[in-house]
């Protein structure tokens, strides 16, 4: 990329798939001249929706808008911050911990269970870890995992944690609510099979759950010995044939966060004990170890200010926000005191990086805002909030203001760095791909998580845009990032029984499940191809596999915020 000369771009006006394009659904005209001028300075040189986006810091990239505007932006290089050495002790043996309701690896076809969800009845107490008698931090009251399998939760509401409520009462705002109990992340830890069935997923060979398992096995097989997932060097772990599809190496922290989220999203934690023999490597694998090593890597790559991933690359807030999300969930799922400090500092840095009264972009308080980075930040804050970390309101309020600002009132399309942002491409990489309403999905999810108002017209308006462009594993329509946010947003809006979700879900499953690599494909078994995806060039195979696994976990990762699908 370095040294590539900017080229004059032909305007791509008229592309029917332009993202947030100045072309309303009815095909009429819509002029954006004024905002284009205004936004020239802020224009992203890379892409809009990128999951974490990975763009090469070295590139000279050109974006093309619908109108004849060509912008180039010189990337900046931010020096690595000094790492902070931390003494880690994640080895403390735990008592027997059983993930009730979750099928053991290799036993995905066992009958569904109605076992109650695992929950954290002492969540409030242990969230704070105040110890009057100075007992060992790791043994404080409430830090025992014994309660993990003890009691069903009382949560399951939609408004987030409520001050003053009794311990353990969480209005889960879409997170939790597993079969039989729920609360917080209960949907993952218990009753998952029922949630899969009710949400339109499927068990057994060829089902969404088998695809999740295969994807997690691929991720486990390609973790670096140091605990991270290498965006470019993951193939050093390959068994026989090398898996193709490296991305950009500045995104290792983001990819490590995403891979961890894929495991955590299915309810596995560092306490998971089950093992299996990987048929491609003949090595015995324990996902608990995989997760533990990934968390260790994140913590050891957190700087003194709380930023994960070393601030290298010019877009380090993608890395940080995704890693902070993973860390918040790792803490929320296990209540480990040891994780709390890193998780809280991660959120603290997130808030410190926010532009005053606004949102986020590539680096700390850079003055620019974009919807894509902001979406990950909102996810991280929400998971932190329900995990009992201190978040405060300014983060959510700024994010809400930003989403409002960039939402088109007529069609509810959500822009990238401004209202009505047109299709943005990375020169020489993905200008041939179709654009989608990925950021509209991000905006819907932010509104849902912040406001919890199903009557918000932007939600149904966005839903209509999404179902008009269903997932298709077809040429230049493939966009895993769009499918991820579209699945989350629509499941939150009216899953699992609503018409928007049902139509989307069938298309999503048909796009993802049959296209996953299988055993006969060798080491790539369980992964998804990279070069077919609109953003695969940046995130590589670790990204494509992790994001697709997360999409297939939509049935239980976050319960419907509006109560849809609750057990009758
Ligand atoms: Zn491989």
């Amino acid at each position: 990329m370095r040294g590539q000369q900017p080229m004059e771009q032909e305007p791509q006006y008229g592309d029917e798939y332009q993202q947030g394009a100045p072309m309303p659904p009815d095909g009429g005209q819509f002029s954006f001249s004024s905002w284009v001028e205004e936004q020239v300075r802020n224009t992203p040189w890379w892409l809009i929706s990128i999951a974490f986006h990975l763009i090469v810091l070295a590139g000279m990239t050109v974006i093309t808008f619908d109108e004849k505007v060509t912008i180039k932006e010189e990337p900046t290089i931010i020096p690595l911050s000094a790492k902070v050495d931390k003494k880690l002790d994640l080895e403390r043996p735990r008592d027997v911990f059983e993930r009730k309701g979750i099928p053991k690896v290799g036993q995905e076809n066992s009958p569904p269970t109605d076992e109650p969800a695992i929950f954290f009845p002492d969540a409030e107490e242990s969230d704070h870890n105040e110890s009057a008698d100075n007992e060992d931090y790791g043994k404080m009251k409430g830090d025992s995992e014994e309660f993990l399998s003890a009691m069903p939760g009382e949560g399951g509401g939609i408004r987030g944690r409520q001050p003053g409520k009794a311990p353990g009462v969480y209005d889960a705002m879409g997170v939790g609510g597993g079969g039989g109990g729920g609360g917080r992340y209960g949907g993952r830890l218990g009753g998952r099979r029922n949630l899969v069935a009710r949400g339109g997923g499927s068990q057994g060979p060829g089902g969404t759950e088998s695809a999740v398992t295969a994807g997690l096995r691929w991720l486990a097989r390609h973790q670096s010995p140091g605990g991270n997932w290498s965006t470019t060097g993951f193939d050093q772990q390959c068994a026989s044939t090398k898996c193709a599809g490296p991305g950009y190496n500045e995104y290792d922290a983001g990819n490590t966060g995403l891979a961890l989220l894929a495991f955590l999203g299915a309810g596995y934690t560092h306490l998971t004990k089950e093992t299996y023999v990987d048929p491609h490597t003949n090595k015995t694998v324990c996902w608990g170890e995989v997760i533990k090593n990934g968390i260790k890597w994140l913590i050891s790559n957190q700087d003194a200010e709380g930023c994960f991933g070393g601030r290298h690359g010019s877009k380090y807030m993608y890395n940080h926000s995704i890693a902070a999300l993973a860390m918040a969930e790792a803490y929320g799922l296990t209540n480990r005191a040891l994780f709390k400090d890193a998780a809280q500092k991660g959120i603290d840095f997130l808030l410190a990086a926010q532009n005053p009264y606004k949102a986020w972009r590539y680096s700390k308080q850079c003055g620019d805002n974009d919807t894509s980075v902001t979406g990950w930040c909102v996810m991280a804050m929400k998971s932190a909030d329900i995990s009992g970390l201190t978040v405060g309101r300014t983060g959510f309020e700024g994010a809400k203001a930003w989403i409002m600002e960039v939402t088109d009132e007529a069609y509810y399309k959500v822009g990238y760095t401004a209202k009505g942002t047109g299709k943005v491409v990375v020169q020489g990489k993905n200008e041939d791909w179709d654009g989608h309403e990925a950021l509209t999905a991000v905006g819907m999810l932010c509104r849902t998580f912040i406001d919890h108002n199903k009557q918000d017209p932007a939600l149904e308006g966005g839903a209509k845009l999404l179902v008009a462009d269903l997932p298709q594993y077809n040429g230049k329509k493939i966009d895993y990032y769009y499918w991820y946010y579209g699945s989350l947003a629509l499941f939150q809006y009216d899953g699992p029984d609503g018409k928007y979700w049902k139509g989307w879900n069938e298309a999503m499953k048909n796009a993802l499940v049959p296209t996953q690599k299988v055993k006969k494909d060798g080491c790539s078994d369980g992964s998804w191809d990279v070069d077919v995806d609109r953003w695969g060039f940046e995130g590589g195979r670790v990204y494509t596999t992790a994001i697709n696994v997360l999409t297939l976990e939509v049935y239980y990762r976050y319960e419907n915020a509006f109560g849809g699908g609750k057990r009758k």
Side-chain angles (χ1 to χ4, degrees), residues 25 62-63 426 527 536 564:
V62 179
I63 348 182
V426 177
S527 68

Side-chain angles (χ1 to χ4, degrees), residues 354-377:
Q354 183 179 21
N355 293 312
Y357 310 108
K358 286 272 188 170
W360 292 264
R361 208 171 179 209
Y362 300 144
S363 56
K364 180 183 176 183
Q365 288 200 347
C366 59
D368 293 334
N369 307 278
D370 79 52
T371 303
S372 183
V373 173
T374 298
W376 289 108
C377 292

